[in-house]
C-alpha cells in the first residue's frame, strides 16, 4: 500500500487536529512510510548528504572537464552513497521505533529519529560543515574529513559535559 508522496508535505504543514485525523486513517506500515518520507523531505535521509562530500573537488563553474569528473565521481561514489543511505534509513527507523515503543507520539518519534541520525551519522551539508574546512583552502585539505572533524567535536562536547556532571554524557563516553 503506497502513500501519495504529497501526503508527507501536507502532513508537515497540517495543524495538530488534522495530523491526528491523518494518522488515524493510516495503518502502522503506512505510518512508518510517512515517517520515512518526512525524513527524506527534511534531508535527514538523502543521497545529497554524502554525495555533497564527494563533489568537493568538482564545485564551481560548469565545464566539460568538470562534468566528466562529476560523472566519474558519481560512479566511484556509488557504494559509499548507497551504504550511507541504507545506514541512515536503518538508524532512522530504529530510532523511530524505539521512540514509539517508549510511548512518544508520532511527531515526537519523528523528531527523536531525526535527532538520532544527525547526532550519530551527522549532517554533511555545506551549512553544517566545520569552518576549518570551509572555503577554497579548507576544502582542499579537508576533503573527506567532515566525519572525522564532527566526531572529534562530538567527543569534545561529550567530554566537557561529562566533566560538568552530565550523567548521559558520562554514560555515552563509557561505551567508547
Amino acid at each position: 500500500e503506497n502513500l501519495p508522496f504529497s501526503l508527507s508535505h501536507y502532513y508537515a504543514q497540517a495543524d495538530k487536529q488534522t495530523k491526528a485525523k491523518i494518522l488515524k486513517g493510516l495503518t502502522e506500515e503506512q505510518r512508518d512510510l510517512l515517517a520515512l518520507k518526512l525524513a527524506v523531505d527534511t534531508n535527514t535521509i538523502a543521497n545529497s548528504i554524502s554525495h555533497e562530500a564527494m563533489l568537493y573537488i568538482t564545485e564551481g563553474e560548469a565545464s566539460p572537464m568538470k562534468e566528466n569528473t562529476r560523472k566519474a565521481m558519481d560512479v566511484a561514489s556509488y557504494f559509499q552513497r548507497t551504504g550511507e543511505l541504507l545506514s541512515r534509513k536503518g538508524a532512522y527507523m530504529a530510532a523511530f521505533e524505539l521512540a514509539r515503543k517508549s510511548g512518544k507520539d508520532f511527531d515526537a518519534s519523528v523528531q527523536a529519529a531525526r535527532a538520532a541520525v544527525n547526532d550519530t551519522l551527522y549532517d554533511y551539508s555545506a551549512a553544517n560543515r566545520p569552518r576549518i574546512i570551509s572555503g577554497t583552502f579548507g576544502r582542499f585539505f579537508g576533503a573527506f574529513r567532515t566525519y572525522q572533524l564532527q566526531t572529534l567535536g562530538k567527543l569534545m562536547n561529550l567530554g566537557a559535559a561529562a566533566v560538568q556532571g552530565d550523567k548521559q554524557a558520562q554514560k555515552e563516553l563509557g561505551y567508547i
Side-chain angles (χ1 to χ4, degrees):
E1 299 172 325
N2 292 328
L3 293 174
F5 189 74
S6 61
L7 179 62
S8 61
H9 297 288
Y10 178 72
Y11 181 87
Q13 302 301 320
D15 60 40
K16 195 171 187 170
Q17 210 171 24
T18 305
K19 286 180 177 183
K21 287 179 186 177
I22 291 170
L23 292 173
K24 188 175 181 181
L26 299 177
T27 65
E28 188 173 334
E29 184 177 305
Q30 288 173 325
R31 272 183 261 145
D32 288 350
L33 184 57
L34 177 60
L36 201 54
K37 285 183 178 185
L38 289 168
V40 170
D41 292 349
T42 59
N43 286 327
T44 303
I45 299 173
N47 278 333
S48 63
I49 293 171
S50 64
H51 194 57
E52 183 180 329
M54 292 298 290
L55 294 176
Y56 272 168
I57 65 170
T58 62
E59 290 183 32
E61 289 184 37
S63 70
M65 179 64 157
K66 289 192 182 211
E67 282 306 310
N68 290 336
T69 304
R70 186 177 296 266
K71 288 176 186 175
M73 293 295 280
D74 282 344
V75 171
S77 66
Y78 173 79
F79 290 108
Q80 178 192 358
R81 285 191 331 267
T82 303
E84 183 173 342
L85 185 62
L86 292 174
S87 294
R88 285 179 174 277
K89 281 182 178 179
Y92 183 87
M93 291 311 295
F96 177 78
E97 283 300 314
L98 284 172
R100 292 289 288 159
K101 287 181 180 176
S102 74
K104 291 185 178 178
D105 67 13
F106 182 84
D107 286 339
S109 297
V110 166
Q111 291 300 324
R114 185 178 299 140
V117 168
N118 287 334
D119 190 43
T120 57
L121 298 172
Y122 310 121
D123 173 3
Y124 296 115
S125 66
N128 200 42
R129 190 176 298 140
R131 278 189 190 166
I132 195 166
I133 60 171
S134 294
T136 306
F137 184 75
R139 264 191 224 152
F140 178 75
F141 289 104
F144 314 113
R145 297 285 181 241
T146 304
Y147 179 84
Q148 291 94 335
L149 290 171
Q150 288 191 354
T151 299
L152 181 61
K154 179 173 176 56
L155 289 173
M156 289 171 58
N157 289 338
L158 279 174
V163 168
Q164 293 175 358
D166 183 327
K167 298 293 183 195
Q168 182 62 32
Q170 292 170 354
K171 185 177 180 181
E172 287 183 40
L173 284 173
Y175 289 125
I176 296 176

